[in-house]
Amino acid sequence: DVVMTQSPLSLPVTLGQPASISCRSSQSLVHSDGNTYLNWFQQRPGQSPRRLIYKVSNRDSGVPDRFSGSGSGTDFTLKISRVEAEDVGVYYCMQGTHWPPLTFGGGTKVEIK
Amino acid sequence: QVQLVESGGGVVQPGRSLRLSCAASGFTFSSYGVHWVRQAPGKGLEWVAVISHDGSNWYYADSVEGRFTISRDNPKNTLYLQMNSLRAEDTAVYYCAKDGDWGSRMDVWGQGTTVTVSS
């Protein structure tokens, strides 16, 4: 199974400042079809998860452009250019290249300093 | 709008069974694969199972293989998860999530239903 490792576990951020979350996979996520199936999800307190980014860098409809995804191979990053209060929550990466099983990272908790 | 609504959760004794449902609306249900994902209290997300758009293919996590069965009724726009031989470690919020276009996974999630396995 592909292991997804996120860092940091917890990320205190000042409002208006940038934030960056790392996600590393135990093997390359490049699929034989040429795509890289790496998603990012946000889970606000008390809510269900919401997809933010798919295939590394494609933002879902309605997702603010302060969120961006990048990376390749085994190394991926989610960036928030200027953190807002509504961004508090836990962020998960997930790979869909080598499945089953689909696997999630352990999560990164973003909180306001 | 696209919506998924889970139901069927509850408190159940170890070894017993429970069936979860996920009612879909706002999209062509029969065109998309659908997943069950769970989250134990205070823990992260764990993929449980997936079924293809037409119900002809399905896959499970090792932790539930042989005990859980995923199925769907496309005319009723409903996804199911039959859970047998439940264990304490199956206690979690269970979410259904649909696949998106172009092979993207889990673009829309339901609000979840809580399963508690306890004597």
Side-chain angles (χ1 to χ4, degrees):
Chain A
D1 299 356
V2 176
V3 177
M4 305 297 289
T5 303
Q6 287 183 233
S7 62
L9 211 60
S10 177
L11 184 56
V13 188
T14 302
L15 287 173
Q17 292 301 301
S20 181
I21 299 170
S22 170
C23 174
R24 288 183 172 158
S25 56
S26 59
Q27 57 184 281
S28 173
L29 297 186
V30 180
H31 194 275
S32 56
D33 66 7
N35 290 303
T36 300
Y37 295 99
L38 186 283
N39 293 349
W40 288 97
F41 298 91
Q42 174 195 60
Q43 187 174 32
R44 291 171 171 153
Q47 295 187 13
S48 54
R50 166 199 182 195
R51 197 178 74 178
L52 299 176
I53 302 282
Y54 64 95
K55 292 185 194 175
V56 181
S57 59
N58 296 276
R59 232 180 352 259
D60 273 285
S61 175
V63 174
D65 61 7
R66 63 179 182 275
F67 290 94
S68 64
S70 63
S72 62
T74 61
D75 212 336
F76 305 92
T77 303
L78 176 71
K79 291 183 180 174
I80 311 174
S81 59
R82 293 173 305 280
V83 171
E84 297 189 6
E86 65 177 19
D87 300 335
V88 164
V90 182
Y91 292 78
Y92 297 93
C93 59
M94 187 213 78
Q95 71 83 21
T97 295
H98 305 290
W99 67 278
L102 291 100
T103 48
F104 291 89
T108 294
K109 186 175 184 178
V110 171
E111 55 189 12
I112 305 301
K113 278 183 186 174
Chain B
Q1 74 281 21
V2 176
Q3 196 171 11
L4 299 169
V5 179
E6 302 92 336
S7 61
V11 180
V12 61
Q13 293 179 328
R16 304 297 290 263
S17 299
L18 204 60
R19 189 177 83 155
L20 306 183
S21 300
C22 169
S25 59
F27 66 101
T28 306
F29 182 66
S30 59
S31 294
Y32 295 93
V34 202
H35 305 255
W36 287 102
V37 177
R38 68 184 181 183
Q39 186 170 36
K43 301 296 184 182
L45 301 172
E46 179 190 16
W47 175 78
V48 172
V50 63
I51 188 166
S52 61
H53 67 97
D54 60 358
S56 62
N57 293 286
W58 53 88
Y59 301 92
Y60 300 95
D62 286 348
S63 57
V64 306
E65 178 88 55
R67 299 188 299 123
F68 289 12
T69 301
I70 189 171
S71 63
R72 64 191 297 161
D73 186 333
N74 282 345
K76 292 186 177 179
N77 289 337
T78 304
L79 171 74
Y80 302 101
L81 186 67
Q82 177 67 43
M83 304 186 296
N84 298 332
S85 303
L86 282 162
R87 306 167 179 168
E89 54 265 36
D90 296 319
T91 294
V93 176
Y94 285 74
Y95 298 100
C96 59
K98 66 172 281 292
D99 279 339
D101 294 319
W102 311 295
S104 73
R105 299 291 193 182
M106 301 183 196
D107 65 343
V108 177
W109 295 58
Q111 87 290 346
T113 187
T114 300
V115 173
T116 303
V117 183
S118 173
S119 54

